[in-house]
Amino acid sequence: MGDRVKGSKSRRPDLVVEVAHPKIIHESGAQILRHANLLSLRVTMATHPDGFRLEGPLAAAHSPGPCTVLYEGPVRGLCPFAPRNSNTMAAAALAAPSLGFDGVIGVLVADTSLTDMHVVDVELSGPRGPTGRSFAVHTHRENPAEPGAVTGSATVTAFWRSLLACCQLPSRPGIHLC
């Protein structure tokens, strides 16, 4: 499977079956996602209203209650008005090109109870199988954040550790910019 996925750069596979060893997913997961038939991908980001840096019509949005959906729709429509709050959603749209910026749904939620964290929920589903049920994944992340911060405090540490891990890859050590 790993060689077929790696070799699929020059062709478009009709079927990708993910029952591979975790090492193959680590090495080829991004390539597999490029060809996956996702039916839906929804990314919800919730934080305290002070944690948003919104522009355009979203800047004027008011939170009438303790928990208010400020935006729900294609990520393409959100990114220009929440460029500092939509990076996770944009990354999801890039990672799932079968859906892209128009097919990935972004949801921005102002929640006054989230005074010290950002919450990100990612939900994806695939096509229905022979039993009528579909594959589904739901992840929930809570990132500690200072009040009013756009970026969670764990983000910097995760980014730094990712950079350090790149420098230790046996196949291509170092950081390579394109």
Side-chain angles (χ1 to χ4, degrees):
M1 173 78 182
D3 292 335
R4 281 182 53 79
V5 172
K6 287 180 184 175
S8 68
K9 291 179 183 176
S10 62
R11 60 181 191 256
R12 295 202 31 95
D14 294 321
L15 175 67
V16 173
V17 179
E18 191 284 301
V19 290
H21 187 276
K23 181 180 177 189
I24 292 173
I25 298 305
H26 175 74
E27 293 172 356
S28 305
Q31 181 70 15
I32 290 169
L33 275 177
R34 282 190 204 91
H35 301 289
N37 292 324
L38 296 175
L39 287 182
S40 69
L41 177 54
R42 177 185 185 91
V43 181
T44 302
M45 192 266 203
T47 194
H48 192 276
D50 293 342
F52 292 117
R53 302 297 182 271
L54 305 173
E55 299 176 11
L58 287 181
H62 297 287
S63 301
C67 187
T68 303
V69 175
L70 301 175
Y71 179 90
E72 182 172 356
V75 171
R76 183 180 305 279
L78 176 62
C79 290
F81 303 118
R84 295 182 193 106
N85 300 108
S86 59
N87 55 357
T88 299
M89 298 171 194
L94 290 170
S98 64
L99 296 174
F101 282 83
D102 296 314
V104 174
I105 301 300
V107 182
L108 211 57
V109 178
D111 187 337
T112 57
S113 73
L114 298 175
T115 57
D116 61 351
M117 76 173 68
H118 299 171
V119 176
V120 177
D121 287 294
V122 179
E123 302 167 74
L124 67 88
S125 69
R128 293 192 184 281
T131 63
R133 299 200 49 158
S134 65
F135 172 80
V137 175
H138 179 221
T139 64
H140 177 85
R141 179 185 82 185
E142 295 180 0
N143 191 353
E146 296 294 320
V150 173
T151 302
S153 56
T155 303
V156 174
T157 302
F159 177 74
W160 180 246
R161 287 186 179 168
S162 294
L163 283 177
L164 291 176
C166 287
C167 294
Q168 298 170 5
L169 290 174
S171 59
R172 290 184 65 197
I175 298 171
H176 306 272
L177 303 175
C178 308

